[in-house]
Amino acid sequence: MDAGVISSLLDHPLSDGLLLLDRGGRCLVANPAARRRGLDRLVELHAPSLSLLYARLLDGEHAIACELPGPDAPLYGRLRAISVDGAGPIAFSLSVSLSEDVEDWLEAAEAGGHALWVWDVRHDQLRGSATWHGLVGHRDGAPLSFEEMCRRVHPEDRGRMREAIGAYLTGRESSYLCEYRCLQPAAGWRWVRDSGRIIARDAQRAPLKVAGTLTVIDDHKRLEQRLREQRRLVEDTQRLAGMSSWSWAPAAGLVHSAPELRQLLGVGDGGSLRVWLRRIPRAQFPVLRTSWRCLRECAKPAHFDLVVDSVAGPAHLQIWASLSGDEDEGGLPARVLAQVQDVTRQRHADAEAHRRGDLLRRVAELGRIGGCEVDAATRRLHWTGECAGLHGREGESLALDELLRHYTTESREILQAAMSRTAGGAPTQTIELCFYRPDGAQVWTQAVVDYESGDGRPARWLVLFRDISRERAASERIERLAHFDALTGLPNRTRLRQDIETALVANASAYQALLLLDVAGFGGINEAHGHAAGDGVLKAIATRLHMLVDAGDLFGRVGADEFVVLLQQGESRHDVASSAQRIVAGLSDPVPVGGEILRFGISAGIAIRPAGVGFDELLRAAGVALHGARQGGRNRVEFYSPDAWRLARRRLDVEHALRGALEHEEFTLAYQPLVDIARRSVSGVEALLRWQHPELGVCPPDEFIGIAEATGDIAAIGDWVLREACRQAAAWEAAGIAFGRMSINVSAVQLRDTAFASRVLAACAEAGWPPARLELELTESALLHDTEALRSCFDMLVGAGVALAIDDFGTGFSSLSYLSRFPVGRLKIDRSFISELGGSRRAVEVARAIIHLGKALRMQVLAEGVESMEDERLLLESGCDEVQGYLYSRPLPPREMARWLLAHHQAVAGATARGPRRRTSQTRGPSALAPR
């Protein structure tokens, strides 16, 4: 009988013995017949003899006949493995024949809910015992058809039941066995195990009759669930204890282990034993030989310590090893199993403990990990190395108040109250405290506080600490995963919403405000120093919030670099502003990470809570205020105002409108000529994006380009600009309008796409426009990250003849390094420098310096925003190559730009026909370059 039958028969009066054993052969439970005959004691007495049979079951055998010595004659039984969800045997069942009375078995089967049935396949009639009729919910006792029986099966199980019986009847399976839910009028859906065999066939070997049993296995299912839960508990316990599994199959010569152990030793999975032996110093080989001898000769599990060479240096391991399975022909065991625990830190701590003085011996007597003495007069503490390490600090002494800054407000109050009580004569106080290390790690300790005076020594408190972080973490793990941020340990948005909504209802009459905090420059920290540094900053901010936020106020992390604080202690707008400024000032201090000092700012938005407003409305209003604070610079605090809301609403409207702008053909291109200042000729045309929305009106590029980059829409918009500009350029060329190159602005977001260069060349090919007459204008920020993908992109573009230019040079992160690293051929001086040429000598010198820099790097230089002849003269004298601006033409639609180009060519042709003339500083050049 299988495990389900055993679980349901244990409590019934069978005459034969039935026992349930664990994986080690210990009896978990036995039925009355087995207990009367003492089979539970007999099995454990002969456990060594049965161990080989257990090993065979663990290796995959399902059932094994066995023999036990009885008082009068041998007892014959059968061992079976019990598995759950195919995860391998978790227990064994042992049935021992004590009687040959078949009627007893049948009566026991009926009494235990194991119903009997017979199916006449040819006439499709199912008959069964009274118990079977009761189980399938059929009262009148008449035969059932197969389809009628199927209708009593749960809809989710019918297909599986049909497949199982069909596979057996057609010979694809050797037996019929299926578990499903069956409907009973009184009990509802109940789990049953249905099994059977063909008992009659016709001359053609077709099945005529099938007989079987139907067994209720509700208890078995519950047992399986309990076993699964126990297995998960064991696995969690192993992880918390730092345990790792290890196994070696000598026949295959392969070793498998847990990832944590492989990472510790720097080895791969599935390697040979020789690879692992290389990690063991020769001095440790005698330990291995002794343990191997214990396993082979004594047939007992071995427990030993081993020092190995890990990736980080010598590591101390505790190992529990045992053999599994029968020996092969060569005398080797089928498998060696082991549990390995890394106790390196524990051993180092033990070694350190032996070098401590009187205080450490006092701590050792009390069985604690770390301790400190606090002088009652000076409130200065002296601690052991373990206590200092527990707090993430170094040194032998520290002011108590300095240490308490890292404790939570509640823990500070608890510790100080315990110190006051003991100083007043109270007995030793045992309390639990929470603090944060400088690296942001949260630590829970159990502290024992005592007060000592007399003996000629100064009065002092003795505080002994025991780290209970793991104990609390084990009980709070599920709660924290669902409601707390994994990085900082702060409440997440879900938990914070619950807590704040509760506080808003409970303190409806209080003056409450929601403070939304944002780390200014956080993205730059991630980009420049890596995400690990960014994580360190977030942890430090979380630590500081615990120290800065008043008791009773709520706070948590709601975004990547956003934190929320519910201020409830103030009584006016001034109080809220003061608390916010204090928190911002405390959070914005630099953070040391990885040997570097990282600096950043904090922006804060505040929303005062009106009556009847919930968390989501407050968060939205605070977000609007935060947006205004970001615009004003770092470390600013802004209150919510309707004007800020309208600006945020405008941004949101623009963001939503962008999603359909391409499909609705709302974008257009305007074109502005690029003029060769020396030859007075058009050297190119720049394509400029314009957007006219039917409801929002004209949206300037400065407003929507940044939003498009943030939402990712810039990629599709940029591709459209490329295709449309190339198409227009090819159309002008076909019409005989010469204008040089087509210049197009490119976003830094587009350059991050590895397929960008391919799409540029595809747009040229589609329009029939030569890549050699295409120029891409890049912002300085686009070149900040020198990546292999960016270099490959530029190599592909330049190799095809596409020119690269730096747009708005001098306004971004200007650096000579990227000018030398990347194949840039042209610098475009930003219009902000050109607009002051006529009234500022310094502006002239700056522009001249940029021009000379470009010349020194053998680059062409173009000046944007030229609006006067004086600007043109100064740029010409400074050696500028090209100019662009309203002095020549404003950005024009395609048709007007074509007419302008034609007029310019006619003017140039007329000037050429009249012959050269002498230019003076007042000469503007061809009239075709006058503003239109």
Side-chain angles (χ1 to χ4, degrees), residues 300-547:
K300 295 182 179 179
H303 176 208
F304 56 95
D305 293 354
L306 203 62
V307 179
V308 299
D309 295 328
S310 71
V311 175
H316 296 263
L317 305 179
Q318 279 192 346
I319 302 174
W320 293 262
S322 61
L323 301 181
S324 174
D326 297 330
E327 294 184 353
D328 59 15
E329 296 178 356
L332 291 177
R335 189 173 298 276
V336 179
L337 305 177
Q339 289 291 325
V340 182
Q341 184 178 21
D342 181 7
V343 294
T344 305
R345 291 185 179 180
Q346 177 184 341
R347 295 301 168 81
H348 290 169
D350 292 343
E352 184 68 16
H354 289 92
R355 296 193 293 269
R356 296 301 175 183
D358 293 339
L359 177 60
L360 191 57
R361 285 193 296 272
R362 170 68 171 156
V363 173
E365 290 173 0
L366 297 174
R368 305 301 179 186
I369 296 178
C372 68
E373 286 183 341
V374 182
D375 190 288
T378 64
R379 289 179 64 84
R380 192 163 189 85
L381 62 85
H382 301 269
W383 52 16
T384 66
E386 289 82 358
C387 186
L390 181 63
H391 287 78
R393 292 176 169 272
E394 297 178 355
E396 298 180 354
S397 65
L398 185 72
L400 176 62
D401 293 337
E402 171 65 20
L403 178 66
L404 291 181
R405 288 179 58 247
H406 296 273
Y407 278 68
T408 64
T409 302
E410 183 180 4
S411 293
R412 283 199 297 268
E413 295 172 352
I414 292 174
L415 177 58
Q416 290 175 336
M419 293 173 66
S420 298
R421 288 194 297 272
T422 55
T428 300
Q429 303 286 301
T430 300
I431 55 178
E432 291 187 0
L433 303 173
C434 177
F435 61 86
Y436 286 80
R437 292 174 179 159
D439 62 2
Q442 184 189 46
V443 179
W444 277 93
T445 61
Q446 185 182 70
V448 178
V449 183
D450 196 11
Y451 184 78
E452 294 184 357
S453 60
D455 299 332
R457 300 181 62 184
R460 67 194 184 279
W461 283 281
L462 179 65
V463 186
L464 307 174
F465 295 94
R466 184 173 69 89
D467 188 353
I468 60 171
S469 301
R470 289 188 177 182
E471 299 172 20
R472 291 186 67 96
S475 62
E476 297 174 358
R477 182 176 180 82
I478 297 177
E479 174 73 15
R480 295 189 63 82
L481 288 176
H483 296 98
F484 291 85
D485 176 49
L487 178 64
T488 63
L490 298 180
N492 58 19
R493 181 189 292 265
T494 301
R495 177 60 179 267
L496 199 61
R497 175 185 282 106
Q498 296 174 358
D499 293 345
I500 290 180
E501 291 285 7
T502 301
L504 294 178
V505 173
N507 304 315
S509 60
Y511 194 87
Q512 297 169 310
L514 194 73
L515 175 64
L516 181 59
L517 303 165
D518 173 76
V519 184
F522 183 72
I525 291 176
N526 277 337
E527 293 175 359
H529 301 280
H531 288 276
D535 291 346
V537 169
L538 295 176
K539 290 178 181 178
I541 290 174
T543 301
R544 293 173 181 177
L545 280 173
H546 280 279
M547 296 182 284

Side-chain angles (χ1 to χ4, degrees), residues 595-869:
E596 298 188 59
I597 303 298
L598 302 184
R599 304 181 186 277
F600 52 89
I602 299 292
S603 302
I606 305 175
I608 305 296
R609 182 217 179 189
V613 172
F615 171 78
D616 291 326
E617 292 81 358
L618 276 178
L619 185 62
R620 185 194 67 183
V624 172
L626 176 63
H627 180 72
R630 290 195 192 106
Q631 303 303 316
R634 295 186 175 185
N635 298 343
R636 284 187 61 86
V637 176
E638 292 284 346
F639 282 84
Y640 167 76
S641 68
D643 291 339
W645 165 246
R646 283 192 291 271
L647 290 176
R649 184 70 233 183
R650 167 72 178 184
R651 176 182 174 86
L652 186 62
D653 291 341
V654 170
E655 180 178 336
H656 288 169
L658 271 174
R659 296 172 183 169
L662 271 178
E663 290 78 0
H664 300 153
E665 299 182 352
E666 296 170 5
F667 290 115
T668 59
L669 292 182
Y671 300 89
Q672 190 173 30
L674 312 176
V675 178
D676 187 317
I677 194 171
R679 295 186 177 88
R680 314 292 296 172
S681 62
V682 175
S683 56
V685 172
E686 181 178 2
L688 302 170
L689 183 61
R690 298 292 183 262
W691 181 24
Q692 174 81 34
H693 189 267
E695 297 178 1
L696 300 178
V698 176
C699 299
D702 290 345
E703 180 181 25
F704 71 82
I705 290 297
I707 297 176
E709 288 180 331
T711 61
D713 294 321
I714 194 66
I717 295 173
D719 289 347
W720 178 85
V721 171
L722 274 169
R723 294 193 301 272
E724 178 62 18
C726 290
R727 185 200 62 76
Q728 185 61 67
W732 284 338
E733 183 73 15
I737 303 175
F739 59 89
R741 68 183 184 276
M742 175 60 73
S743 185
I744 302 173
N745 291 281
V746 174
S747 165
V749 177
Q750 293 175 265
L751 293 176
R752 296 175 194 151
D753 188 349
T754 55
F756 173 71
S758 300
R759 292 204 303 275
V760 171
L761 300 182
C764 291
E766 180 183 351
W769 184 248
R773 293 180 63 185
L774 177 66
E775 182 179 68
L776 300 182
E777 297 186 10
L778 319 171
T779 59
E780 293 177 270
S781 61
L783 305 178
L784 281 179
H785 299 292
D786 183 2
T787 64
E788 187 64 31
L790 187 61
R791 286 179 173 270
S792 299
C793 174
F794 286 165
D795 290 343
M796 185 174 180
L797 291 172
V798 174
V802 178
L804 303 179
I806 301 297
D807 195 17
D808 300 333
F809 182 78
T811 60
F813 300 90
S814 301
S815 171
L816 295 179
S817 61
Y818 68 70
L819 294 179
S820 61
R821 291 197 308 268
F822 298 113
V824 177
R826 195 181 316 276
L827 297 182
K828 296 188 69 173
I829 306 175
D830 186 69
R831 65 182 67 252
S832 61
F833 297 107
I834 306 305
S835 62
E836 300 179 2
L837 286 181
S840 171
R841 180 172 181 78
R842 185 176 181 83
V844 174
E845 294 301 329
V846 171
R848 186 171 295 158
I850 296 175
I851 293 172
H852 291 170
L853 172 63
K855 294 298 183 181
L857 295 174
R858 298 182 181 180
M859 296 181 181
Q860 295 285 308
V861 181
L862 184 149
E864 299 178 305
V866 178
E867 298 184 359
S868 69
M869 295 179 62

